[in-house]
Amino acid sequence: MNSKAVYILPFYFSHAKELSNNLDGFSKDDISFLFETLYLNILENLIGKHAKIDIYCIWDENRKDNLPDEFKNSNYNIVFSDVSKKKLILERLSSKEFLSHKNNLIIFSDAIDIRPSDYEQYFNLLNIEDESLVIAKNKENSIAVFGFNNYSEEIINNLILSNFSYNDFLGRVKSCEHFMHIVNDVLLVRNLYNFKQLYQELSQKKSIEYCSQPMHERFTHLFVEYKDLLK
């Protein structure tokens, strides 16, 4: 077991109805394809890090039969859970995994523009003796990545109560003595506007740093299919 761990929380399954409304015009299959691609993109950016980082893929326990082939890798730890209840997921992880690793990093599966080097930076910021937090958030202050060292039940409880809202979380931890490292403007893809942002991001050459050609092709399929929504 490594001292570092990454936990990928799926956003799609627990917000399917909300996303269907927010991505009005998308077919159900294409919404699923979009969020599967975002999840796979995160995994791809973690390739080669298995020797140093334990990777936990959280997946809907009711969709075990729909587990993508790319997940069926002995280097990944698949955790089946009721993904509609983040509280239960985090409480379950708190009973063992969080305690077994010194540095833990939670990431939502619909996050993008996080480079492999960013993960190294996150863990470097956590790799100190003092209690430290790393928070990456989008422009709407929704937390996309949450990292911590020296597991704290209080911190995790406040994260649950805040429902991953940065402003709410910050208001709850004023009395906590943690070094907080904040990263701004991570993209979370949760509505049509974000889909347009995704298109703009992947149109830039620098996106190859966090989105490979095969992943680009998967996204391009959707951009072509829904080009009228990109206007």
Side-chain angles (χ1 to χ4, degrees):
M1 182 173 288
N2 293 298
S3 63
K4 306 172 185 175
V6 172
Y7 310 86
I8 308 174
L9 295 184
F11 186 81
Y12 168 64
F13 296 132
S14 57
H15 298 81
K17 185 175 181 180
E18 173 188 341
L19 289 168
S20 180
N21 293 328
N22 291 346
L23 291 166
D24 185 34
F26 274 68
S27 71
K28 182 178 179 180
D29 287 344
D30 281 339
I31 292 177
S32 179
F33 182 81
L34 170 61
F35 287 95
E36 180 179 303
T37 302
L38 288 163
Y39 202 130
L40 292 176
N41 188 69
I42 291 173
L43 284 177
E44 189 170 271
N45 283 316
L46 290 168
I47 287 176
K49 299 184 182 298
H50 302 99
K52 298 179 180 179
I53 301 173
D54 291 330
I55 300 171
Y56 294 84
C57 300
I58 317 301
W59 195 258
D60 188 0
E61 62 185 5
N62 296 316
R63 293 175 171 83
K64 291 182 180 180
D65 294 338
N66 295 330
L67 190 70
D69 291 338
E70 291 88 348
F71 287 62
K72 299 170 184 177
N73 180 320
S74 59
N75 291 320
Y76 299 143
N77 301 286
I78 310 298
V79 179
F80 294 105
S81 182
D82 180 351
V83 296
S84 67
K85 300 175 181 177
K86 297 187 191 73
K87 179 180 179 180
L88 292 181
I89 295 173
L90 295 182
E91 287 177 346
R92 174 179 174 178
L93 295 174
S94 296
S95 67
K96 180 181 178 182
E97 284 79 11
F98 290 164
L99 297 173
S100 301
H101 299 87
K102 176 174 173 51
N103 299 324
N104 295 275
L105 199 69
I106 301 167
I107 179 169
F108 274 106
S109 64
D110 60 324
I112 197 165
D113 73 4
I114 300 174
R115 296 155 182 76
S117 60
D118 290 332
Y119 291 103
E120 296 175 13
Q121 179 187 9
Y122 296 158
F123 280 117
N124 285 337
L125 291 171
L126 293 174
N127 196 30
I128 60 176
E129 291 300 320
D130 296 310
E131 293 187 344
S132 178
L133 302 177
V134 171
I135 300 175
K137 60 187 180 67
N138 68 1
K139 291 181 178 179
E140 291 72 39
N141 286 318
S142 292
I143 295 174
V145 180
F146 188 88
F148 59 94
N149 61 9
N150 303 319
Y151 168 75
S152 163
E153 183 178 355
E154 179 183 4
I155 288 294
I156 295 301
N157 285 340
N158 284 325
L159 184 64
I160 293 170
L161 290 171
S162 71
N163 195 27
F164 288 83
S165 166
Y166 171 72
N167 291 338
D168 192 345
F169 175 77
L170 199 62
R172 295 176 184 275
V173 296
K174 288 179 180 177
S175 62
C176 296
E177 296 182 355
H178 284 76
F179 288 99
M180 297 183 66
H181 309 277
I182 311 301
V183 179
N184 293 306
D185 298 341
V186 171
L187 177 59
L188 290 167
V189 184
R190 297 180 176 177
N191 53 46
L192 285 178
Y193 177 68
N194 299 150
F195 183 65
K196 293 178 183 179
Q197 289 179 299
L198 176 65
Y199 172 71
Q200 293 168 356
E201 284 286 332
L202 298 188
S203 297
Q204 302 179 54
K205 289 185 178 180
K206 66 178 183 179
S207 66
I208 198 66
E209 296 176 18
Y210 58 83
C211 185
S212 69
Q213 187 60 36
M215 290 294 115
H216 263 278
E217 291 173 2
R218 287 177 64 107
F219 285 120
T220 297
H221 162 73
L222 294 171
F223 296 149
V224 172
E225 185 71 18
Y226 297 100
K227 59 183 179 181
D228 290 342
L229 298 178
L230 295 171
K231 295 178 180 178

